[in-house]
Amino acid sequence: MPNMVVLISGSGSNLQRLIDTQDEHGMKISLVISNRADAYGLQRAKQHGINSKVLSHKDYSDRSTYDQALAQLIKSEQPDLVVLAGFMRILTPELVNQFLGRMINIHPSLLPKYPGLNTHARALEAGDEHHGCTVHFVIPKLDAGPNIAQARLRILASDNANSLQQRVHQLEHQLYPQVVAWFAQDKLQMNAEQSWLDGQPLKPQGRVFDYS
Ligand code: GAR
């Protein structure tokens, strides 16, 4: 069975979904890494007998030495895939370049819209009709790697940043296991900074699942 390492910083609800859908997507989670000792996702891993490690950025003098240690730890598992699931750190190009085409991230917006933080409030402020989440390959530039898939919903007049965050989170939980399954089945690749699915290049937005 191919294996993956999952990186978290917080609640780990996406991690939970990847644990619960392991039989469907077909990838074993060999290690969960958190940069925060208080991340609830660590409890989730423990409850399911999955190895976990805390690698605190506070124990390192700078980003570069932290990322070197992180890369070593990831590589010790020889993972087929590295999954960022709410890992709230900017990664150095030196780290990212070691996992090109094998590292994916989920982001709570329809990238290229709203990289970075506060995506739900920004979508509301802009008066957008749609919002959602994106899974993309990770490249050195933040939240800019080629999209693999998006799930989108229609913003309701009654939405606020909180309700939107919750609704998008539900979509994330559908989308991430699907993308991991494609990878496990060898259907998904990154070539020349473009995502390919089933031997075809994907459009810039990736495969879109429309829930609007
Ligand atoms: C998710 O909404 C994910 O998209 C976001 O963090 C949350 C983690 O939730 N990631 C980012 O904003 C990365 N830029 P979870 O811990 O419950 O999976």
Side-chain angles (χ1 to χ4, degrees):
M1 204 187 226
N3 76 310
M4 61 183 172
V5 169
V6 181
L7 275 61
I8 61 164
S9 299
S11 160
S13 68
N14 278 290
L15 166 66
Q16 184 70 55
R17 278 290 294 166
L18 292 171
I19 294 171
D20 293 344
T21 54
Q22 218 159 306
D23 285 347
E24 289 140 60
H25 60 66
M27 273 217 161
K28 179 181 156 61
I29 302 173
S30 56
L31 181 65
V32 172
I33 302 172
S34 172
N35 65 310
R36 298 179 55 115
D38 62 355
Y40 181 64
L42 291 166
Q43 307 300 322
R44 299 183 192 268
K46 199 175 282 174
Q47 276 158 20
H48 293 272
I50 296 169
N51 270 347
S52 62
K53 288 222 168 85
V54 176
L55 193 68
S56 173
H57 52 279
K58 293 185 184 151
D59 295 339
Y60 293 82
S61 54
D62 55 33
R63 191 175 294 279
S64 168
T65 47
Y66 178 79
D67 275 11
Q68 281 172 31
L70 181 58
Q72 278 311 112
L73 182 55
I74 296 170
K75 282 198 271 184
S76 69
E77 294 296 322
Q78 299 186 301
D80 296 287
L81 183 64
V82 182
V83 174
L84 308 183
F87 189 63
M88 302 307 277
R89 283 189 56 84
I90 293 171
L91 299 170
T92 56
E94 289 71 24
L95 182 143
V96 170
N97 284 331
Q98 295 179 59
F99 301 103
L100 279 182
R102 293 189 292 134
M103 181 182 269
I104 59 177
N105 181 44
I106 193 157
H107 182 77
S109 77
L110 299 172
L111 290 170
K113 279 191 164 184
Y114 316 127
L117 299 174
N118 302 320
T119 56
H120 311 296
R122 286 155 73 196
L124 281 171
E125 247 161 55
D128 288 356
E129 199 176 334
H130 292 99
H131 186 45
C133 54
T134 304
V135 178
H136 63 93
F137 281 110
V138 177
I139 62 167
K141 194 170 173 213
L142 180 70
D143 294 334
N147 285 357
I148 299 165
Q150 293 188 322
R152 64 177 214 162
L153 48 69
R154 188 177 293 277
I155 296 180
L156 305 173
S158 57
D159 268 322
N160 55 38
N162 199 30
S163 67
L164 207 45
Q165 191 254 338
Q166 285 177 25
R167 294 172 62 221
V168 169
H169 228 153
Q170 298 301 319
L171 299 191
E172 293 184 30
H173 298 159
Q174 304 302 316
L175 193 64
Y176 227 178
Q178 173 63 78
V179 171
V180 169
W182 288 338
F183 196 89
Q185 293 157 8
D186 225 6
K187 292 176 166 200
L188 180 64
Q189 287 92 27
M190 182 174 92
N191 282 327
E193 294 209 355
Q194 184 161 23
S195 298
W196 291 64
L197 184 64
D198 288 328
Q200 303 289 328
L202 284 162
K203 295 201 175 102
Q205 65 269 39
R207 177 66 55 84
V208 177
F209 296 89
D210 196 346
Y211 295 86
S212 59

